[in-house]
Amino acid sequence: MITLEDLNPKLLQAQYAVRGPIVQRAQEMEAAGKKVIYCNIGNPQALKQRPLTFLRQALSLLEYPELLDSPRVLETFSRDIVTRVRKALERHPHGTGAYSQSPGIPFIRQAVADFITKRDGIPADRDRIILTDGASKGAQAVLMALLRSSQDGVLIPIPQYPLYSATLALYGGRQIGYYLDEENGWQLDEHILRASVEKAGRAGTRPVAIVVINPGNPTGSVLSRDNIEMIVHFAREHRLSIIADEVYQENVYDRSASFHSFARVMEEMRERDTTLFSLHSVSKGFLGECGHRGGYLEIRNVPEEVNAQFIKLQSISLCANVSGQFATYFMVAPPEPGEESYPLYVREREAILAALKRKAEILGEGVNRIPGMSLDKPQGAMYGFVRFELPPEQGIDPLSLPPEDRKMYEAGRDEAYCMALLEQTGICVVPGSGFGQRAGTLHFRTTFLPPQEEIEDLVQKLKVFHEHYTRTLQEA
Ligand SMILES: Cc1ncc(COP(=O)(O)O)c(C=O)c1O
């Protein structure tokens, strides 16, 4: 039998906190009959968000096309959905059970290109779009392709969604962390970016790309247009490709903020020399179809032979799952006004987005009322990155520790805090150290996806727990 020593050390090194030991403990508690509020992961339908009727009707017909010929089909399915699925099957007669072309079904890639053109008012080319198994696979393909040597590094935000750090660990690339500016709504700061690149250079690291997550996970922030322009200038100056993770583009709640795609900003800047990889997904927004594993990667500003390599890479695993490709199709080509399914589609979409906005407000306002806790009210995405203070521990001065030891010590503190929160309240959140955080600060990430009453309950329980936890530390 093989042991851990037989495994690829890069796998052993990769960390993915969102499903780490705290979640394992939560599952044990649940199995023992305790109520757990899962706020650890952006998995909307696991937290009672209902799927859109339109999307599920369309997918059902696609999976079982015999229904299209049933004389009673219109008793259950909207007429426009029946017509749409018939047309889709005329264009793709093999249905969902056969492999598709490697980059994805051509008419769906065209629909994605049309969606980008409609969203941004810019041209888009279906041959620069690859349909992927969720955004994760798109991000991994890009990182895989860009890392040429063990000296190559990628700028990733701190805090960041751990897909990026874990994938860099798997592929043997170096992480070049850049701090997001908590005091400035978690925007990117040019001085910090410069300092990160210079530090990487001193360590012999060659930066090849920058990852930007907008709207942000775990921060819930939305980047301003000016900030994006600054990032594009910076990437150009340092010859970095941009990996724009835009999976939360529909999740913007704050009226003062808007989503600006990198594709659009770069097009408006007439930027032709910097390569852009942008990612989108069916998992987030108001669809929340995480289980369908659909998404796309759009590539801009690369020569044809480079594009061909990305298609080859995709072809090595044949193609993205075909049901996920169709879920992506229904995301980018939703019902139109005048169609039978349109009014319900709009009602469901608006209800989901309005509930998310309300819950972001309840979380933001509630947390900021707790002494010793603060939160930049989430403008977008599905998360709040809550900062909390703990009294110093007797006999320990973290400032006297070497940086790595201090990091470990602080990670231990926020993990212990989150584990105690779980044990005492049933609330499952992820320690800030799983995403990265500035030395001397402590955070946890929580989603605001559970139903409103559970978010209200969560805020109450947090307050009681935090007071009790800090008092116990003071008395120790
Ligand atoms: C920023 C970000 N990118 C990518 C993903 C993964 O998305 P997908 O389900 O499409 O792979 C997530 C999931 O939470 C995410 O938060």
Side-chain angles (χ1 to χ4, degrees), residues 23 26-28 30 36-41 47 426 428 447 450 454:
V23 185
Q27 286 161 352
E28 283 167 21
E30 201 177 33
V36 173
I37 307 181
Y38 282 101
C39 294
N40 59 302
I41 192 163
L47 295 162
C428 180
T447 70
E454 289 193 16

Side-chain angles (χ1 to χ4, degrees), residues 52 54-56 58-59 62 84 96 103-116 129-135 247 249-250 278-284 286-298 314 320-335 345:
L52 294 187
F54 155 69
L55 192 124
R56 287 308 180 90
L59 287 176
L62 268 165
R84 181 191 284 259
T96 53
I105 298 168
F107 85 86
I108 300 184
R109 286 187 284 123
Q110 184 59 52
V112 171
D114 296 343
F115 162 82
I116 294 167
I129 288 160
I130 297 178
L131 303 179
T132 55
D133 287 322
V247 300
Q249 58 188 267
E250 299 284 356
S278 40
L279 302 164
H280 194 14
S281 166
V282 301
S283 299
K284 313 295 171 182
F286 47 91
L287 267 59
E289 291 286 354
C290 299
H292 275 108
R293 313 306 299 128
Y296 71 79
L297 161 67
E298 193 207 7
Q314 181 75 348
N321 83 85
V322 172
S323 310
Q325 294 190 37
F326 275 104
T328 304
Y329 174 52
F330 298 127
M331 172 178 77
V332 297
Y345 169 79

Side-chain angles (χ1 to χ4, degrees), residues 1 6 39 42 57 60 119 129 132 134 153 196 198 202 212 298 309 312 364 396 415 421:
M1 179 188 345
D6 299 306
C39 294
Q57 285 202 356
S60 306
R119 182 192 68 192
I129 288 160
T132 55
S196 302
E198 280 160 19
R202 288 195 295 277
V212 183
E298 193 207 7
Q309 292 298 318
K312 180 180 81 183
I396 300 178
E415 278 163 27
L421 178 67

Side-chain angles (χ1 to χ4, degrees), residues 134-136 161 163 213 217 245 247-248 281 283-284 293-294 383:
S136 306
Y161 172 58
L163 162 68
I213 306 175
N217 176 6
D245 182 331
V247 300
Y248 296 101
S281 166
S283 299
K284 313 295 171 182
R293 313 306 299 128
Y383 315 96

